[in-house]
Amino acid sequence: MKCLSCYLRKAFLHSIIGNQCSIAKVVIPFGDDMRAGLLNDAVEYSPLQGFIVMEGVMDLYGVVAHFDQDTELYIKQVWKELSDNAVSRYAEEVQDRRPHITIAGYDSDVDIDKFISDFDCFYESKKQLSITLNSIGTFLNSGIVFLAPVPSQEFLTFHANYHHFFEKYRMNAESQYLPNIWIPHCTIANRLNDENLKEAMVYCTKRIETLHATINEITVIKAIYENGKCIKSPSIYTKALRFV
């Protein structure tokens, strides 16, 4: 297997001169190189772009679903317990991080002002959505543990309708969030080595109960990356969903 540096040499460098931003992107095969890169920060698993290698500073945008207060506090408590037990520092890595399910992601070239205007219009009269979070999972060779919702028809339609409306932004969209590809999840822990992955899976399976949650708001966030790591993810526009 080729070393990580071999893949880095083949990276695609995309520079945004006006914002003095750059990103080196490359698809890296799953395996030892992927795991090593994730653990030493050479590779980042972005909630907006998947597995990428980055240099410099850049911004990405995401559309995320937030939960009712009780569910949010419950998940934050699990984050804290994993941190207290030195398993994962997911909750502390990024300023402004909240439990969420990502609906869509966009690169920095998207016309964000126009997008927010369309976003406001689309969610003007949308209703809150009830979901059930009742399974724990991971992505292959990612060192990530997530909480997954039941993929009900109502939830999948909620997601598909969004992407149908925002089809004109598809050229800026991150493909892993498109219909028929999307794997809805709420990240619980990341950057886990083999030992911590096992510990997190066992702990979360026993600790977390089935959660009957409500998606009560949809938010546009700005994920700010510096030296290959997301350091902030502030909300830049939030739309509360209509109470049913």
Side-chain angles (χ1 to χ4, degrees):
M1 180 179 290
K2 295 181 179 179
C3 65
L4 181 60
S5 61
C6 295
Y7 293 110
L8 289 174
R9 286 197 293 270
K10 296 182 180 179
F12 170 71
L13 182 63
H14 174 212
S15 299
I16 307 171
I17 298 175
N19 295 327
Q20 295 185 327
C21 298
S22 65
I23 172 174
K25 286 182 63 177
V26 62
V27 177
I28 299 176
F30 291 120
D32 293 341
D33 285 326
M34 173 70 79
R35 175 59 61 83
L38 285 163
L39 293 179
N40 65 23
D41 294 336
V43 177
E44 175 81 0
Y45 180 80
S46 163
L48 303 182
Q49 286 200 316
F51 295 105
I52 54 178
V53 178
M54 295 186 295
E55 297 174 350
V57 180
M58 72 165 195
D59 300 336
L60 299 171
Y61 297 97
V63 176
V64 301
H66 286 138
F67 309 118
D68 60 274
Q69 185 177 38
D70 288 346
T71 301
E72 177 163 326
L73 290 176
Y74 185 98
I75 294 173
K76 283 183 174 180
Q77 179 60 32
V78 175
W79 285 355
K80 181 179 184 302
E81 291 168 12
L82 290 171
S83 178
D84 290 345
N85 288 292
V87 176
S88 170
R89 298 184 62 254
Y90 179 75
E92 304 158 20
E93 289 180 345
V94 177
Q95 184 179 332
D96 310 307
R97 175 166 276 167
R98 295 174 60 190
H100 64 274
I101 294 175
T102 303
I103 302 297
Y106 298 94
D107 63 33
S108 54
D109 291 331
V110 70
D111 184 339
I112 194 62
D113 292 332
K114 178 65 168 62
F115 178 84
I116 288 177
S117 177
D118 290 337
F119 177 90
D120 183 70
C121 178
F122 179 72
Y123 282 111
E124 180 61 32
S125 60
K126 292 292 186 290
K127 299 178 182 179
Q128 295 182 3
L129 180 67
S130 297
I131 63 171
T132 300
L133 299 152
N134 69 348
S135 61
I136 299 294
T138 186
F139 295 111
L140 297 176
N141 294 289
S142 66
I144 291 171
V145 170
F146 60 76
L147 184 59
V150 174
S152 66
Q153 187 58 55
E154 185 179 19
F155 188 36
L156 294 177
T157 299
F158 179 87
H159 174 260
N161 286 346
Y162 168 90
H163 283 277
H164 177 74
F165 183 88
F166 287 92
E167 175 67 25
K168 63 183 175 182
Y169 295 100
R170 190 183 181 99
M171 67 179 294
N172 299 111
E174 303 304 329
S175 62
Q176 69 267 30
Y177 298 113
L178 297 176
N180 301 317
I181 301 174
W182 182 56
I183 301 175
H185 65 281
C186 174
T187 301
I188 298 296
N190 70 345
R191 302 187 187 282
L192 303 171
N193 58 30
D194 289 342
E195 182 178 348
N196 285 344
L197 177 61
K198 294 175 184 177
E199 186 173 352
M201 289 292 285
V202 171
Y203 184 84
C204 290
T205 299
K206 294 181 178 180
R207 166 66 172 84
I208 299 176
E209 302 172 350
T210 294
L211 299 176
H212 298 287
T214 300
I215 293 175
N216 61 5
E217 65 180 32
I218 306 294
T219 299
V220 179
I221 64 170
K222 184 176 184 179
I224 302 171
Y225 283 81
E226 185 174 301
N227 298 322
K229 297 183 70 173
C230 183
I231 58 172
K232 298 179 183 179
S233 59
S235 300
I236 60 176
Y237 194 82
T238 296
K239 197 73 173 178
L241 301 180
R242 186 161 58 88
F243 181 75
V244 180

